[in-house]
């Protein structure tokens, strides 16, 4: 018997190089199954040399995809090739979510949304602070700085081993963002209500230096965008010093929500079932 859903099936992707370790297919596949939607979400390992051709086939409809996610190293190129990048992408110079609309390729960046949604879900009221400290000035820090600034935090201090990199971000994101070298960390942390690690310190079991979280404000939150391991060395240190912590897994889960809604027409929920599913996969690998 013909399945009438086949005519409305939609297909999306995650494109990267490499992309085999992406957990996005697990997340979106779970939502498709749970919501009873016809469609698919698949990995596309695309080299930098082939990415423009891939986007061209997406725009023409030849690929059969409604849209998809873009990860390293294609986010900047995706932004440049999109017909309609939004204001978030424009400021960041990078896009991680693409979709076709009225024959045009639209683009946004959902990393900042995922970061904020994770904090809102795990630690409501975290944003009742005037000062945040963001460790690191690499590409991962941009969406976090943008999101914290747009939430209304008045003072954002970016601390980085190379102060010049931090100054580039202060110039990009405006007068509320201040740049510092690592020697200023203790001073700028005084009274801060949010501390964010955007570096790779502690990723995959690598060691991290010792941090003193005592200068932070009472009730401050420490979070890490790294989620492997789930409890990173920085989060363990913060917890041992009595600080509230939020792991980075929720950012991965929440950033997937807007794209799924664009491609499949239904807004999915981030819940404990999805978190358990991804944690189980992390334990296997």
């Amino acid at each position: 018997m013909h399945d009438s859903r086949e005519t409305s099936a939609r297909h999306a992707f995650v494109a990267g190089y490499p992309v085999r370790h992406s957990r996005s297919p697990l997340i979106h596949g779970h939502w498709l199954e749970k919501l009873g939607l016809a469609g698919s979400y698949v990995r596309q390992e695309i080299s930098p040399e082939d990415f423009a051709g891939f986007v061209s086939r997406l725009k023409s409809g030849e690929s059969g995809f409604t849209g998809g996610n873009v990860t390293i190293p294609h986010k900047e190129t995706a932004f440049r090739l999109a017909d309609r990048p939004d204001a978030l992408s424009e400021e960041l110079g990078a896009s991680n979510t693409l979709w076709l609309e009225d024959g045009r390729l639209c683009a946004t960046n959902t990393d900042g949304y995922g970061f904020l949604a994770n904090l809102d879900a795990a630690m409501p009221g975290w944003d009742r602070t005037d000062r945040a400290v963001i460790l690191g000035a690499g590409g991962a820090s941009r969406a976090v700085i943008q999101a914290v600034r747009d939430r209304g935090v008045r003072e954002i201090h970016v601390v980085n081993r190379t102060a010049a990199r931090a100054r580039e971000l202060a110039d990009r994101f405006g007068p509320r963002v201040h740049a510092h070298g690592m020697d200023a960390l203790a001073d700028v942390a005084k009274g801060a209500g949010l501390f964010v690690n955007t570096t790779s310190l502690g990723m995959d079991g690598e060691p991290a230096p010792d941090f003193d979280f005592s200068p932070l404000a009472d009730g401050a939150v420490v979070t890490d965008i790294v989620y492997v391991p789930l409890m990173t060395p920085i989060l363990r240190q913060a917890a041992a010093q009595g600080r509230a912590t939020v792991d980075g897994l929720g950012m991965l889960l929440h950033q997937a929500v807007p794209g799924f809604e664009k491609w499949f027409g239904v807004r999915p929920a981030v819940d404990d079932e999805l978190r358990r599913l991804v944690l189980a996969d992390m334990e296997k690998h």
Side-chain angles (χ1 to χ4, degrees):
M1 185 175 177
H2 176 70
D3 187 345
S4 61
R5 295 185 308 164
E6 288 302 316
T7 58
S8 60
R10 298 181 181 184
H11 306 283
F13 63 85
V14 55
Y17 193 78
V19 77
R20 61 187 175 275
H21 298 305
S22 172
R23 291 186 170 86
S24 292
L26 180 65
I27 296 167
H28 292 284
H30 169 76
W31 284 332
L32 285 169
E33 182 178 358
K34 188 169 184 177
L35 294 166
L37 299 175
S40 67
Y41 183 99
V42 296
R43 295 180 181 89
Q44 297 285 287
E45 185 148 308
I46 310 292
S47 71
E49 297 77 25
D50 294 335
F51 187 69
F54 175 78
V55 171
S56 178
R57 293 188 295 276
L58 173 62
K59 288 183 178 184
S60 70
E62 180 187 342
S63 69
F65 290 118
T66 304
N69 286 126
V70 177
T71 187
I72 295 169
H74 302 317
K75 291 184 180 184
E76 290 82 6
T77 308
F79 160 71
R80 291 195 298 269
L81 295 176
D83 300 313
R84 293 179 184 165
D86 69 359
L88 292 173
S89 295
E90 290 276 5
E91 186 175 39
L92 293 172
S95 302
N96 75 340
T97 303
L98 303 173
W99 71 97
L100 292 168
E101 190 174 302
D102 301 326
R104 309 285 282 175
L105 186 63
C106 303
T108 190
N109 194 301
T110 66
D111 287 333
Y113 168 84
F115 176 78
L116 294 180
N118 183 36
L119 283 177
D120 289 342
M123 206 66 59
W126 68 268
D127 53 355
R128 291 195 291 267
T129 182
D130 286 333
R131 176 179 287 212
V133 174
I134 296 176
L135 185 64
S141 67
R142 292 187 179 192
V144 172
I145 295 167
Q146 184 186 59
V148 172
R149 181 203 64 190
D150 290 354
R151 180 55 70 91
V153 176
R154 291 193 304 183
E155 269 185 55
I156 301 167
H157 296 275
V158 180
V159 179
N160 193 58
R161 186 173 54 187
T162 306
R165 291 282 299 276
R167 281 194 293 274
E168 289 174 14
L169 296 184
D171 292 341
R172 175 183 288 265
F173 292 105
R176 280 190 279 160
V177 182
H178 309 276
H180 310 275
M182 290 297 293
D183 58 344
L185 181 58
D187 188 48
V188 299
K190 290 175 183 174
L194 179 68
F195 182 102
V196 187
N197 176 43
T198 70
T199 74
S200 60
L201 290 172
M203 182 184 288
D204 291 325
E206 291 295 314
D210 292 332
F211 289 95
D212 177 13
F213 294 104
S214 62
L216 298 179
D218 292 341
V221 177
V222 178
T223 189
D224 199 323
I225 68 169
V226 170
Y227 61 91
V228 180
L230 193 65
M231 198 65 172
T232 65
I234 289 175
L235 293 184
R236 284 202 307 270
Q237 290 180 40
Q241 296 175 43
R243 296 300 182 179
T245 64
V246 176
D247 66 61
L249 179 56
M251 179 177 173
L252 172 72
L253 305 181
H254 283 282
Q255 64 81 30
V257 169
F260 188 95
E261 185 176 25
K262 291 289 188 186
W263 310 317
F264 301 111
V266 181
R267 191 168 185 86
V270 173
D271 55 20
D272 289 340
E273 182 184 8
L274 177 62
R275 184 177 170 89
R276 287 194 300 270
L277 183 70
V278 176
L279 284 173
D281 184 71
M282 287 167 57
E283 289 171 3
K284 287 191 295 186
H285 296 90

